[in-house]
Amino acid sequence: MIIYDYLIAPFVEFGFMQRALAGSLLLSLSSCPVGVFLMLRRMSLTGDAMAHAILPGAAVGFLLYGLEIVPMTVGGLVAGVVVAMGAGAVSRFTVQKEDASMAAFYLISLALGVLIVSLRGSSVDLMHVLFGTVLALNDEALRLIASIAGITLLTLAVFWRALIAECLDPLFLRSVSRLGTPVHFVFLGLVVLNLVGGFQALGTLLSVGLMMLPAAAARFWASRVGPMCVLALAIGAASCVAGLLLSYHASLPSGPAIILSAGVVYLFSILSGPRGALRARVRHHRHRTA
């Protein structure tokens, strides 16, 4: 009975918890595998920058139409594409590296987005845009997230081998195939798309957390890309369930609770994973004493 009251009842008795669970699980299904590829490409901070980059477009949608899903989503997509292309152009045609240009663009985007939201909205609206409201997901938002998940999984299935090849050796892929550059832009499109989907539930500041923390944790348990993606998905789903339950029982903000749950798994993986710190020290000690 206690197990039912604490673990099951919130999702059975309340419709908002059911929608929050469905939305967060769909986000895990789509964004966690993308996070694995983002991590393997050593582009984790790029994902964080892109999460901030969508803010001005979403803020313009909010300024014109209020908290309507479609305008904010379209605005976020446009802003994300513009920032990605702008940062890429700066790094290609100037002496500045891509990480520096991306950092500059995302800082400008973040400041501009906060300013635009502040022109019309209150501090509550700003918090909604920055941190999301997973407990307030409606059917329209769920349909959007489900569509993004379907597009992401289909794209990953079609370009799976090319994505893995580009992660491991992008120069080799470009030398033997013309898919290198198109696959790179397809992947950036998936990143932006999933960040826009995550923005609906977790806001611009936390949407990248569900993408990267489960992927980073899975890295300590698996070495192959396929198992890593599956494990990241499982960690993301478990973090969503744990975070929502923690939010419900302890009256905590749901988005941060989900990300902190994933953070706990990440810290545990650092210490206890087969590829983590403790196992590495044990192997090193055995090698020295052998």
Side-chain angles (χ1 to χ4, degrees):
M1 190 64 181
I2 295 179
I3 294 177
Y4 176 83
D5 290 339
Y6 279 90
L7 302 182
I8 301 175
F11 299 117
V12 173
E13 298 175 2
F14 299 102
F16 69 90
M17 288 292 286
Q18 295 171 8
R19 288 190 293 272
L21 180 63
S24 57
L25 290 180
L26 285 170
L27 283 174
S28 299
L29 182 65
S30 116
S31 64
C32 290
V34 173
V36 169
F37 285 103
L38 203 60
M39 177 189 62
L40 293 177
R41 289 163 172 253
R42 296 177 175 85
M43 293 173 61
S44 301
L45 292 179
T46 300
D48 184 53
M50 293 305 299
H52 295 80
I54 68 175
L55 181 56
V60 169
F62 168 78
L63 187 66
L64 297 176
Y65 298 96
L67 294 173
E68 294 289 334
I69 290 176
V70 174
M72 293 179 71
T73 299
V74 173
L77 281 173
V78 172
V81 171
V82 168
V83 168
M85 294 180 64
V90 170
S91 64
R92 181 178 292 267
F93 298 112
T94 70
V95 297
Q96 195 167 63
K97 299 295 185 183
E98 188 173 13
D99 59 342
S101 60
M102 185 66 76
F105 271 88
Y106 103 73
L107 288 170
I108 295 170
S109 299
L110 179 61
L112 180 61
V114 171
L115 182 64
I116 292 173
V117 174
S118 301
L119 289 177
R120 171 176 172 174
S122 64
S123 59
V124 174
D125 295 320
L126 181 60
M127 291 292 286
H128 171 86
V129 173
L130 292 178
F131 297 103
T133 50
V134 67
L135 294 180
L137 289 177
N138 55 25
D139 293 338
E140 188 179 9
L142 287 178
R143 285 194 293 269
L144 172 67
I145 295 171
S147 300
I148 290 174
I151 293 171
T152 300
L153 294 178
L154 179 61
T155 305
L156 288 177
V158 172
F159 293 100
W160 180 261
R161 290 182 179 274
L163 285 169
I164 293 177
E166 205 202 5
C167 286
L168 300 178
D169 195 342
L171 295 179
F172 172 76
L173 178 63
R174 291 172 189 173
S175 66
V176 301
S177 172
R178 295 181 179 179
L179 286 176
T181 300
V183 164
H184 180 70
F185 283 105
V186 166
F187 177 71
L188 287 180
L190 287 181
V191 173
V192 173
L193 195 62
N194 279 273
L195 289 174
V196 169
F199 156 78
Q200 302 294 337
L202 300 172
T204 58
L205 295 186
L206 294 177
S207 58
V208 72
L210 189 60
M211 182 178 289
M212 294 311 308
L213 282 172
R219 189 72 175 90
F220 293 106
W221 299 92
S223 57
R224 297 176 59 191
V225 178
M228 205 180 300
C229 288
V230 173
L231 186 56
L233 196 160
I235 292 172
S239 300
C240 290
V241 174
L244 288 173
L245 289 173
L246 182 63
S247 170
Y248 176 82
H249 291 295
S251 300
L252 298 175
S254 51
I258 289 173
I259 303 306
L260 283 175
S261 298
V264 169
V265 178
Y266 172 71
L267 295 175
F268 173 78
S269 301
I270 291 176
L271 296 175
S272 303
R275 303 164 64 86
L278 293 182
R279 297 290 182 91
R281 292 192 63 179
V282 169
R283 286 194 297 267
H284 179 69
H285 177 72
R286 287 177 178 175
H287 177 73
R288 293 188 60 183
T289 56

